[in-house]
Amino acid sequence: MTYLKRKFFMKNLFVALFVLTTSLTATSQVKATAFPDAGFMAAFPTKPEVEKNQIDTKVGKIQSTSYSCEGEDFVIVLSENVYPAELITKLGDTGVDGILDGVKNGAIKNVEAQMEGKYAPTLDEKYLYNEKYKAIRFAGTTAEVDMEAFCIVKENHFFIVILMGNTKSEAATQFVKSFKLIEK
């Protein structure tokens, strides 16, 4: 191999390795941001808009904080709702199951109203998140728009995550994989 060919080959090899390394590094560097006051961490694809509300209900004041962001073809909404601790204790497991069902039914009704279509479920299951927190996950389609959601109850904190649109996009999938509760 002549000197020029070798130099050209080495330069192209260096560029190819640089591009490969950079793309692998960029893909693996999805960083989760901790929200310690809310008790979770997640890798939002873009900086989320944060909105705080206090809701007066028959059972007391509920503190609600929502984190939302949009991707190219999806929307993520994460809501943390803090119920009065004594209420959750009083409700027990049956009451918490009722709240989980209420969250699911309320989300479905909202999607049906917004999308003006009937919800067709593809997933509906209760499970234990981290093998200790009651949770529900559900998914379906309304007017050709996909939705995936899960709700986790940790003590008197309810975390509700809803993805709409292309729920299988890489950024949406990374977000779901990165979501973790922060244990104290």
Side-chain angles (χ1 to χ4, degrees):
M1 202 185 285
T2 68
Y3 173 76
L4 287 176
K5 283 184 180 178
R6 201 170 347 158
K7 186 175 179 180
F8 180 74
F9 174 76
M10 292 302 287
K11 183 179 177 183
N12 285 341
L13 179 62
F14 175 75
V15 169
L17 288 173
F18 177 77
V19 169
L20 178 63
T21 305
T22 305
S23 65
L24 287 174
T25 304
T27 319
S28 64
Q29 284 185 353
V30 176
K31 280 191 160 182
T33 301
F35 297 84
D37 291 342
F40 74 91
M41 62 188 324
F44 286 93
T46 60
K47 184 177 180 179
E49 290 182 30
V50 179
E51 185 178 323
K52 295 182 180 222
N53 292 303
Q54 185 170 340
I55 305 162
D56 289 321
T57 69
K58 291 185 276 185
V59 297
K61 293 183 188 286
I62 298 172
Q63 303 292 328
S64 179
T65 306
S66 68
Y67 305 80
S68 60
C69 70
E70 292 183 27
E72 256 183 56
D73 54 355
F74 64 88
V75 174
I76 296 171
V77 178
L78 185 154
S79 177
E80 178 218 7
N81 303 285
V82 182
Y83 284 71
E86 61 277 359
L87 171 69
I88 301 306
T89 304
K90 184 178 177 181
L91 288 174
D93 286 345
T94 304
V96 170
D97 281 341
I99 291 175
L100 287 171
D101 288 335
V103 166
K104 177 187 78 174
N105 294 335
I108 291 168
K109 282 183 182 179
N110 283 336
V111 168
E112 285 179 330
Q114 289 177 13
M115 304 309 295
E116 298 178 350
K118 185 78 177 132
Y119 176 80
T122 56
L123 172 69
D124 185 358
E125 68 176 350
K126 289 187 178 168
Y127 66 105
L128 288 177
Y129 178 83
N130 284 351
E131 299 181 18
K132 62 180 168 182
Y133 301 118
K134 286 188 166 274
I136 189 170
R137 68 179 136 232
F138 53 98
T141 303
T142 305
E144 298 184 21
V145 175
D146 292 331
M147 175 183 80
E148 286 186 16
F150 59 91
C151 177
I152 303 164
V153 181
K154 179 184 176 191
E155 297 146 4
N156 63 324
H157 292 249
F158 284 68
F159 297 91
I160 305 160
V161 177
I162 299 176
L163 289 89
M164 293 196 59
N166 183 1
T167 60
K168 303 297 182 211
S169 74
E170 186 176 335
T173 302
Q174 284 291 335
F175 172 81
V176 171
K177 287 180 182 177
S178 73
F179 179 84
K180 304 277 185 276
L181 294 180
I182 298 173
E183 300 293 335
K184 295 180 182 178

